[in-house]
Tab-separated table of all heavy atoms in Angstrom:
chain	number	residue	atom	x	y	z
P	28	SER	N	98.778	96.692	100.917
P	28	SER	CA	99.570	97.782	101.481
P	28	SER	C	100.519	98.327	100.433
P	28	SER	O	100.826	97.670	99.442
P	28	SER	CB	100.369	97.296	102.695
P	28	SER	OG	101.335	96.356	102.301
P	29	TYR	N	100.961	99.521	100.683
P	29	TYR	CA	101.988	100.137	99.864
P	29	TYR	C	101.651	100.185	98.382
P	29	TYR	O	102.441	99.801	97.531
P	29	TYR	CB	103.340	99.463	100.083
P	29	TYR	CG	103.778	99.526	101.519
P	29	TYR	CD1	103.864	98.378	102.285
P	29	TYR	CD2	104.060	100.749	102.109
P	29	TYR	CE1	104.245	98.450	103.611
P	29	TYR	CE2	104.442	100.831	103.439
P	29	TYR	CZ	104.533	99.676	104.175
P	29	TYR	OH	104.899	99.748	105.493
P	30	LEU	N	100.452	100.639	98.061
P	30	LEU	CA	100.119	100.891	96.667
P	30	LEU	C	100.935	102.078	96.199
P	30	LEU	O	101.224	102.993	96.958
P	30	LEU	CB	98.633	101.188	96.517
P	30	LEU	CG	97.700	100.038	96.870
P	30	LEU	CD1	96.259	100.483	96.736
P	30	LEU	CD2	97.971	98.843	95.978
P	31	ASP	N	101.297	102.068	94.950
P	31	ASP	CA	102.185	103.099	94.441
P	31	ASP	C	101.833	103.402	92.995
P	31	ASP	O	101.271	102.560	92.296
P	31	ASP	CB	103.628	102.615	94.539
P	31	ASP	CG	104.635	103.744	94.585
P	31	ASP	OD1	104.235	104.915	94.459
P	31	ASP	OD2	105.827	103.447	94.752
P	32	SER	N	102.155	104.583	92.560
P	32	SER	CA	101.932	104.956	91.168
P	32	SER	C	102.910	106.044	90.769
P	32	SER	O	103.514	106.693	91.616
P	32	SER	CB	100.496	105.459	90.960
P	32	SER	OG	100.304	106.670	91.658
P	33	VAL	N	103.073	106.195	89.495
P	33	VAL	CA	103.815	107.328	88.958
P	33	VAL	C	102.897	108.013	87.966
P	33	VAL	O	102.009	107.395	87.387
P	33	VAL	CB	105.147	106.918	88.273
P	33	VAL	CG1	106.157	106.466	89.304
P	33	VAL	CG2	104.926	105.852	87.234
P	34	HIS	N	103.089	109.287	87.767
P	34	HIS	CA	102.125	110.057	86.984
P	34	HIS	C	102.444	110.092	85.493
P	34	HIS	O	102.090	111.036	84.801
P	34	HIS	CB	101.963	111.458	87.569
P	34	HIS	CG	103.188	112.324	87.433
P	34	HIS	ND1	103.198	113.621	87.828
P	34	HIS	CD2	104.413	112.078	86.934
P	34	HIS	CE1	104.378	114.153	87.589
P	34	HIS	NE2	105.128	113.230	87.057
P	35	TYR	N	103.056	109.041	84.967
P	35	TYR	CA	103.389	109.001	83.542
P	35	TYR	C	102.275	108.422	82.678
P	35	TYR	O	102.327	108.498	81.465
P	35	TYR	CB	104.662	108.189	83.316
P	35	TYR	CG	105.890	108.846	83.880
P	35	TYR	CD1	106.720	108.172	84.749
P	35	TYR	CD2	106.214	110.153	83.540
P	35	TYR	CE1	107.849	108.775	85.262
P	35	TYR	CE2	107.340	110.771	84.054
P	35	TYR	CZ	108.152	110.073	84.907
P	35	TYR	OH	109.262	110.671	85.415
P	36	PHE	N	101.284	107.782	83.299
P	36	PHE	CA	100.226	107.142	82.529
P	36	PHE	C	99.523	108.153	81.620
P	36	PHE	O	99.171	109.240	82.036
P	36	PHE	CB	99.205	106.499	83.478
P	36	PHE	CG	98.116	105.748	82.783
P	36	PHE	CD1	98.298	104.427	82.426
P	36	PHE	CD2	96.920	106.361	82.477
P	36	PHE	CE1	97.297	103.734	81.781
P	36	PHE	CE2	95.916	105.685	81.827
P	36	PHE	CZ	96.108	104.361	81.479
P	37	ARG	N	99.318	107.772	80.376
P	37	ARG	CA	98.651	108.632	79.395
P	37	ARG	C	97.517	107.857	78.730
P	37	ARG	O	97.674	106.672	78.506
P	37	ARG	CB	99.632	109.102	78.312
P	37	ARG	CG	100.803	109.910	78.844
P	37	ARG	CD	100.371	111.321	79.213
P	37	ARG	NE	101.504	112.169	79.543
P	37	ARG	CZ	101.900	112.433	80.772
P	37	ARG	NH1	101.273	111.940	81.788
P	37	ARG	NH2	102.925	113.213	80.991
P	38	PRO	N	96.436	108.481	78.414
P	38	PRO	CA	96.114	109.891	78.614
P	38	PRO	C	95.762	110.164	80.075
P	38	PRO	O	95.144	109.355	80.747
P	38	PRO	CB	94.927	110.150	77.687
P	38	PRO	CG	94.291	108.824	77.502
P	38	PRO	CD	95.383	107.795	77.642
P	39	ARG	N	96.153	111.330	80.542
P	39	ARG	CA	96.025	111.703	81.946
P	39	ARG	C	94.596	111.610	82.488
P	39	ARG	O	94.410	111.170	83.630
P	39	ARG	CB	96.570	113.112	82.152
P	39	ARG	CG	96.597	113.506	83.604
P	39	ARG	CD	97.385	114.775	83.822
P	39	ARG	NE	97.691	114.896	85.228
P	39	ARG	CZ	97.153	115.807	86.010
P	39	ARG	NH1	96.317	116.680	85.529
P	39	ARG	NH2	97.467	115.846	87.277
P	40	PRO	N	93.555	111.989	81.722
P	40	PRO	CA	92.196	111.927	82.281
P	40	PRO	C	91.749	110.517	82.693
P	40	PRO	O	90.823	110.365	83.474
P	40	PRO	CB	91.310	112.452	81.148
P	40	PRO	CG	92.222	113.277	80.299
P	40	PRO	CD	93.570	112.628	80.402
P	41	TYR	N	92.427	109.482	82.190
P	41	TYR	CA	92.045	108.103	82.527
P	41	TYR	C	92.896	107.497	83.631
P	41	TYR	O	92.671	106.366	84.035
P	41	TYR	CB	92.122	107.219	81.282
P	41	TYR	CG	91.146	107.630	80.218
P	41	TYR	CD1	91.581	108.190	79.023
P	41	TYR	CD2	89.782	107.467	80.404
P	41	TYR	CE1	90.683	108.575	78.043
P	41	TYR	CE2	88.874	107.859	79.434
P	41	TYR	CZ	89.338	108.407	78.258
P	41	TYR	OH	88.442	108.794	77.297
P	42	ARG	N	93.873	108.239	84.121
P	42	ARG	CA	94.815	107.688	85.102
P	42	ARG	C	94.110	107.173	86.351
P	42	ARG	O	94.281	106.019	86.741
P	42	ARG	CB	95.837	108.762	85.472
P	42	ARG	CG	96.954	108.226	86.342
P	42	ARG	CD	97.930	109.292	86.782
P	42	ARG	NE	98.344	110.122	85.676
P	42	ARG	CZ	98.699	111.396	85.791
P	42	ARG	NH1	98.689	111.984	86.970
P	42	ARG	NH2	99.068	112.090	84.749
P	43	THR	N	93.307	108.003	86.988
P	43	THR	CA	92.621	107.582	88.214
P	43	THR	C	91.694	106.414	87.945
P	43	THR	O	91.667	105.436	88.701
P	43	THR	CB	91.834	108.764	88.821
P	43	THR	OG1	92.767	109.761	89.207
P	43	THR	CG2	91.024	108.339	90.031
P	44	LEU	N	90.948	106.497	86.864
P	44	LEU	CA	90.017	105.428	86.507
P	44	LEU	C	90.747	104.091	86.359
P	44	LEU	O	90.297	103.069	86.882
P	44	LEU	CB	89.293	105.783	85.212
P	44	LEU	CG	88.288	104.757	84.697
P	44	LEU	CD1	87.092	104.677	85.629
P	44	LEU	CD2	87.851	105.138	83.298
P	45	VAL	N	91.862	104.092	85.661
P	45	VAL	CA	92.603	102.845	85.432
P	45	VAL	C	93.206	102.323	86.731
P	45	VAL	O	93.091	101.131	87.044
P	45	VAL	CB	93.688	103.037	84.347
P	45	VAL	CG1	94.617	101.838	84.283
P	45	VAL	CG2	93.042	103.274	82.988
P	46	TYR	N	93.835	103.199	87.522
P	46	TYR	CA	94.425	102.751	88.783
P	46	TYR	C	93.354	102.197	89.727
P	46	TYR	O	93.552	101.180	90.375
P	46	TYR	CB	95.178	103.891	89.473
P	46	TYR	CG	96.496	104.260	88.824
P	46	TYR	CD1	96.998	105.542	88.913
P	46	TYR	CD2	97.243	103.322	88.116
P	46	TYR	CE1	98.211	105.890	88.336
P	46	TYR	CE2	98.453	103.652	87.526
P	46	TYR	CZ	98.930	104.944	87.649
P	46	TYR	OH	100.127	105.287	87.073
P	47	GLN	N	92.206	102.867	89.779
P	47	GLN	CA	91.134	102.367	90.634
P	47	GLN	C	90.585	101.040	90.119
P	47	GLN	O	90.286	100.144	90.903
P	47	GLN	CB	90.019	103.404	90.757
P	47	GLN	CG	90.414	104.575	91.617
P	47	GLN	CD	89.292	105.561	91.843
P	47	GLN	OE1	88.326	105.609	91.091
P	47	GLN	NE2	89.427	106.369	92.881
P	48	GLU	N	90.477	100.903	88.824
P	48	GLU	CA	89.959	99.655	88.258
P	48	GLU	C	90.899	98.487	88.542
P	48	GLU	O	90.440	97.355	88.741
P	48	GLU	CB	89.730	99.798	86.753
P	48	GLU	CG	88.958	98.652	86.142
P	48	GLU	CD	87.571	98.455	86.744
P	48	GLU	OE1	86.875	99.448	87.007
P	48	GLU	OE2	87.179	97.279	86.938
P	49	ILE	N	92.185	98.737	88.599
P	49	ILE	CA	93.138	97.680	88.946
P	49	ILE	C	92.864	97.179	90.359
P	49	ILE	O	92.817	95.965	90.605
P	49	ILE	CB	94.591	98.186	88.805
P	49	ILE	CG1	94.931	98.382	87.323
P	49	ILE	CG2	95.577	97.214	89.459
P	49	ILE	CD1	96.234	99.120	87.081
P	50	ILE	N	92.654	98.090	91.304
P	50	ILE	CA	92.373	97.700	92.693
P	50	ILE	C	91.024	96.993	92.786
P	50	ILE	O	90.892	95.962	93.444
P	50	ILE	CB	92.389	98.927	93.631
P	50	ILE	CG1	93.718	99.657	93.541
P	50	ILE	CG2	92.077	98.517	95.072
P	50	ILE	CD1	94.922	98.816	93.812
P	51	ILE	N	90.017	97.532	92.125
P	51	ILE	CA	88.683	96.917	92.138
P	51	ILE	C	88.745	95.506	91.565
P	51	ILE	O	88.181	94.564	92.134
P	51	ILE	CB	87.680	97.792	91.351
P	51	ILE	CG1	87.448	99.112	92.093
P	51	ILE	CG2	86.372	97.042	91.109
P	51	ILE	CD1	86.776	100.181	91.238
P	52	SER	N	89.448	95.338	90.468
P	52	SER	CA	89.572	94.019	89.837
P	52	SER	C	90.316	93.041	90.741
P	52	SER	O	89.961	91.863	90.816
P	52	SER	CB	90.287	94.130	88.490
P	52	SER	OG	89.525	94.906	87.605
P	53	TYR	N	91.341	93.524	91.427
P	53	TYR	CA	92.058	92.664	92.364
P	53	TYR	C	91.131	92.215	93.492
P	53	TYR	O	91.120	91.032	93.860
P	53	TYR	CB	93.286	93.367	92.938
P	53	TYR	CG	93.961	92.539	93.999
P	53	TYR	CD1	94.692	91.406	93.651
P	53	TYR	CD2	93.825	92.854	95.348
P	53	TYR	CE1	95.286	90.620	94.625
P	53	TYR	CE2	94.415	92.078	96.322
P	53	TYR	CZ	95.146	90.959	95.955
P	53	TYR	OH	95.718	90.171	96.921
P	54	LEU	N	90.352	93.140	94.039
P	54	LEU	CA	89.429	92.775	95.116
P	54	LEU	C	88.374	91.780	94.633
P	54	LEU	O	87.997	90.860	95.365
P	54	LEU	CB	88.789	94.029	95.704
P	54	LEU	CG	89.758	94.958	96.451
P	54	LEU	CD1	89.066	96.251	96.856
P	54	LEU	CD2	90.387	94.265	97.652
P	55	GLU	N	87.921	91.928	93.411
P	55	GLU	CA	86.975	90.959	92.852
P	55	GLU	C	87.646	89.599	92.685
P	55	GLU	O	87.056	88.556	92.972
P	55	GLU	CB	86.433	91.455	91.515
P	55	GLU	CG	85.394	90.532	90.914
P	55	GLU	CD	84.783	91.095	89.651
P	55	GLU	OE1	85.476	91.832	88.914
P	55	GLU	OE2	83.603	90.803	89.405
P	56	TYR	N	88.892	89.603	92.237
P	56	TYR	CA	89.649	88.368	92.054
P	56	TYR	C	89.798	87.605	93.372
P	56	TYR	O	89.524	86.407	93.439
P	56	TYR	CB	91.021	88.698	91.460
P	56	TYR	CG	91.989	87.550	91.466
P	56	TYR	CD1	91.888	86.518	90.536
P	56	TYR	CD2	93.023	87.496	92.396
P	56	TYR	CE1	92.781	85.461	90.541
P	56	TYR	CE2	93.919	86.443	92.405
P	56	TYR	CZ	93.795	85.429	91.480
P	56	TYR	OH	94.682	84.381	91.488
P	57	VAL	N	90.208	88.315	94.444
P	57	VAL	CA	90.395	87.610	95.716
P	57	VAL	C	89.056	87.162	96.302
P	57	VAL	O	88.991	86.116	96.947
P	57	VAL	CB	91.226	88.429	96.740
P	57	VAL	CG1	92.636	88.646	96.225
P	57	VAL	CG2	90.571	89.736	97.110
P	58	LYS	N	88.007	87.908	96.049
P	58	LYS	CA	86.675	87.462	96.493
P	58	LYS	C	86.314	86.154	95.803
P	58	LYS	O	85.842	85.211	96.437
P	58	LYS	CB	85.624	88.521	96.184
P	58	LYS	CG	84.218	88.073	96.560
P	58	LYS	CD	83.163	89.049	96.134
P	58	LYS	CE	81.795	88.482	96.488
P	58	LYS	NZ	80.718	89.334	96.028
P	59	ASN	N	86.557	86.091	94.501
P	59	ASN	CA	86.258	84.870	93.746
P	59	ASN	C	87.141	83.694	94.167
P	59	ASN	O	86.773	82.543	93.946
P	59	ASN	CB	86.400	85.123	92.246
P	59	ASN	CG	85.325	86.037	91.715
P	59	ASN	OD1	84.251	86.175	92.308
P	59	ASN	ND2	85.612	86.704	90.602
């Protein structure tokens, strides 16, 4: 719950990819 972000991450084109990968990696971690 309560995922949060700020738009300072650079380079901007990778922001969504990185934020999504953090969530995906967390879900893989808890599955394991």
Side-chain angles (χ1 to χ4, degrees):
S28 66
Y29 301 113
L30 295 178
D31 204 356
S32 66
V33 289
H34 68 176
Y35 292 126
F36 183 86
R37 300 285 188 261
R39 186 169 196 249
Y41 296 111
R42 187 183 313 150
T43 296
L44 180 68
V45 170
Y46 287 152
Q47 287 185 339
E48 191 59 41
I49 290 169
I50 303 304
I51 292 165
S52 297
Y53 175 73
L54 293 173
E55 183 175 31
Y56 169 77
V57 296
K58 177 186 177 184
N59 291 338

